[in-house]
Amino acid sequence: MKRVLIVTGWCLAISSVWVSTAAVAADRFAQRFALELESGAAYYSVTLPAAVYAASQRGDLGDVRVFNGAGEPVPYSLDAPREPSRAPATLRPVRWFPLPSAAPGSTGAPLGVTIAADGSLRATSAPPARAQHDADLIDVARETRGEARVDALVVHVRDDNYQGRVSVESSDDLRNWQPAGEAQLLKVSYNGSTLSQDRIELNGMRARYLRLHWLDGAPYIESIDAQVQTASADNAQRAETQLEWREGIVARAGPKAGEYFFETGGPYPVDRLRLSLPQPNTVAPAVVYSRSGLESAWREVSSATLFRLHNGTVEQSNPSLEMAPDTDRQWRVVVDTRNGGLGSGTLTVAAGWRPATLTFVARGAAPFTLAVGSAAAVSSAVSRTDLLMGASSVAVTARLGGALPVGQEGDAQSPGKDPDAMRRYMLWAALLLAVGSLGAIAWRIARGAQVHAGPQAGGVADDGGGTGGSGGADGAGGSASGVHSGSDAASATANDAGTAGADGQSTGKN
């Protein structure tokens, strides 16, 4: 019983060592990045690039840490991207004036239009014939009153089918014109419904007048609206320019027709998708689903009509699909195949998101490193308010440097120094000691079994010898017993013979 208890104790010790070793391994981070600081500020902030998301093993970036030069973790906050505040968009109808053919860069007031004392435009002649109509002049300031920025123009085309490019110019005096962008308009009747792309994005520009120059022929215009945003929309415009994109994602065809699967490769907070169709002149409704893993159910996140239409030199595609931020890694696109689906070829995807911002306290000595990618790590981030504690200093922007070698600990200690080396050595020493002790115990048990086996083997030999004496079995002990038994039998026979002779003599005398 004592040996059993000893063996059980050593088994438990080995199990604890194994678990401890696994825990140490799980606590390591898969990737570390150098943090480059330019001044001696107390707080620093860094926008997390795509490489940090790709290395993270948690959907909430809970495995992100910041270490100083001594390998100590420092306090940090992690601010997830927020939906930018937008003032309600307002569509206001604007007046437009068809213009005869003229070069887009020509100077001077357009023919057939005069400027009133208040700056508004008035027509002085009948509109040109359709063959001569290649531009439209829009009076923006009259409707917006100069108080807001113009996000976009919405051109309502009367034609049932139209596809063409348009260039936009802006001016404040009708003499000096500046390029303001280019767009493609589309209106197609499909399967009893209308597919249209009627927006001309202007990115919140300010201008009194706009001129549309039709590069593929002017359409019949029913009306034009200006989408106006107040000055509070500037933050939303800046947020749009801060988008990160992961492009070139190839979707693989699923087992069912019209089914496509792809993965983003990290917990990116995706809020828009660009789906590029493989073949031109394709129109197909589609539904997009996502899930976090194989054990989760698919959930619908967006739906739209996908298209890619080619007309001469003009090609138009569906705009990006917008959705609430989604950190799921697995995605599924189901396309309506009743009209051929997407045809042959490969569906490619681009995923866009607004990255999170990490703010940390520069406690301790440099260099500082950012670590990410540990399945055992739990988020230790604090709120930005608690981190700053009302400090008047502003967080200075830090830059995330290159990834450190996988074998190099990001705690940034002296070269070649491993902070976990001593612990690993102790664990291995305990493991070797446990194995050696188990070997010694096994040897002692085997030795004791051999000692006990000796007497038991002798007793069996004696029994076998006795049997051998009676039945002629082999063995020295058995032969000796057989000789002894034969002597006894001879003696008994001689005695019997002597007794019989004596009895005979006695009988004769009588």
Side-chain angles (χ1 to χ4, degrees):
M1 178 60 70
K2 182 177 180 180
R3 291 192 181 96
V4 173
L5 292 177
I6 293 175
V7 172
T8 303
W10 278 113
C11 290
L12 292 175
I14 293 175
S15 300
S16 63
V17 169
W18 183 267
V19 172
S20 300
T21 305
V24 171
D27 192 50
R28 296 189 179 279
F29 294 92
Q31 190 67 65
R32 296 177 185 263
F33 300 88
L35 286 168
E36 300 177 3
L37 316 181
E38 296 182 356
S39 63
Y43 296 97
Y44 291 89
S45 64
V46 60
T47 301
L48 299 182
V52 174
Y53 284 95
S56 177
Q57 299 185 24
R58 294 177 58 93
D60 59 352
L61 295 179
D63 53 352
V64 171
R65 296 289 188 277
V66 176
F67 295 95
N68 60 18
E72 302 169 341
V74 301
Y76 71 97
S77 68
L78 190 62
D79 301 313
R82 298 178 179 178
E83 184 70 22
S85 59
R86 289 179 179 268
T90 303
L91 285 178
R92 297 178 181 176
V94 295
R95 297 183 64 192
W96 79 98
F97 303 88
L99 300 178
S101 300
S106 61
T107 60
L111 297 176
V113 177
T114 59
I115 305 177
D118 59 355
S120 61
L121 300 181
R122 296 180 181 179
T124 58
S125 61
R130 182 173 177 81
Q132 298 177 342
H133 175 203
D134 68 349
D136 286 282
L137 181 64
I138 302 174
D139 186 356
V140 180
R142 177 176 178 177
E143 302 302 333
T144 63
R145 302 176 183 85
E147 65 185 12
R149 299 180 182 271
V150 180
D151 250 1
L153 289 177
V154 181
V155 181
H156 302 284
V157 178
R158 187 182 306 172
D159 306 67
D160 291 335
N161 292 280
Y162 176 80
Q163 184 177 1
R165 297 170 298 162
V166 58
S167 65
V168 186
E169 297 173 308
S170 65
S171 175
D172 289 327
D173 56 8
L174 294 180
R175 295 182 180 275
N176 301 302
W177 295 89
Q178 297 82 32
E182 189 170 301
Q184 296 180 350
L185 298 186
L186 171 72
K187 183 178 181 181
V188 177
S189 297
Y190 167 74
N191 199 22
S193 60
T194 301
L195 180 65
S196 64
Q197 184 171 308
D198 52 9
R199 287 175 58 88
I200 303 175
E201 299 291 343
L202 298 177
N203 299 322
M205 65 174 300
R206 290 182 183 273
R208 292 184 61 87
Y209 311 106
L210 295 175
R211 183 165 61 183
L212 306 182
H213 183 71
W214 303 100
L215 304 179
D216 299 302
Y220 287 104
I221 299 177
E222 185 172 322
S223 63
I224 300 178
D225 295 329
Q227 181 174 311
V228 179
Q229 292 279 359
T230 61
S232 61
D234 292 344
N235 293 335
Q237 295 295 335
R238 285 195 296 269
E240 293 295 326
T241 62
Q242 296 174 354
L243 278 173
E244 290 274 350
W245 287 92
R246 185 177 177 226
E247 300 180 343
I249 303 174
V250 178
R252 66 184 186 277
K256 300 179 181 178
E259 197 174 43
Y260 301 87
F261 296 90
F262 67 92
E263 296 185 4
T264 57
Y268 309 102
V270 176
D271 60 2
R272 62 203 62 208
L273 291 174
R274 283 203 307 255
L275 303 176
S276 300
L277 306 187
Q279 290 186 338
N281 298 329
T282 301
V283 179
V287 182
V288 180
Y289 302 86
S290 74
R291 66 180 182 183
S292 58
L294 296 175
E295 69 284 353
S296 304
W298 293 106
R299 59 185 184 86
E300 181 178 342
V301 295
S302 182
S303 62
T305 298
L306 308 180
F307 63 88
R308 180 186 172 188
L309 299 175
H310 185 80
N311 182 15
T313 59
V314 181
E315 184 168 293
Q316 293 176 270
S317 301
N318 52 273
S320 300
L321 278 65
E322 297 188 7
M323 62 202 71
D326 191 338
T327 59
D328 289 347
R329 297 171 181 257
Q330 299 182 3
W331 295 74
R332 173 174 169 241
V333 181
V334 179
V335 178
D336 189 345
T337 60
R338 289 177 294 179
N339 291 299
L342 303 185
S344 61
T346 303
L347 174 68
T348 57
V349 183
W353 70 93
R354 290 187 299 274
T357 300
L358 183 142
T359 305
F360 65 94
V361 182
R363 183 185 66 192
F368 290 86
T369 57
L370 184 148
V372 62
S374 173
V378 180
S379 178
S380 61
V382 299
S383 67
R384 185 179 175 87
T385 303
D386 293 339
L387 182 72
L388 298 179
M389 294 296 294
S392 58
S393 59
V394 180
V396 178
T397 301
R399 195 175 75 87
L400 196 70
L404 299 175
V406 177
Q408 178 180 350
E409 289 301 321
D411 296 351
Q413 298 190 23
S414 59
K417 184 176 180 181
D418 189 347
D420 293 330
M422 183 59 68
R423 181 166 53 177
R424 287 203 304 271
Y425 294 152
M426 294 180 65
L427 291 173
W428 278 108
L431 182 61
L432 292 175
L433 180 59
V435 173
S437 300
L438 285 176
I441 293 173
W443 180 80
R444 292 185 61 185
I445 293 175
R447 184 67 180 270
Q450 291 178 356
V451 172
H452 287 289
Q456 293 177 1
V460 173
D462 291 342
D463 295 338
T467 305
S470 303
D474 297 332
S479 300
S481 301
V483 172
H484 181 72
S485 300
S487 300
D488 293 341
S491 301
T493 304
N495 292 331
D496 292 340
T499 304
D503 291 341
Q505 292 176 4
S506 177
T507 304
K509 290 179 182 181
N510 295 328

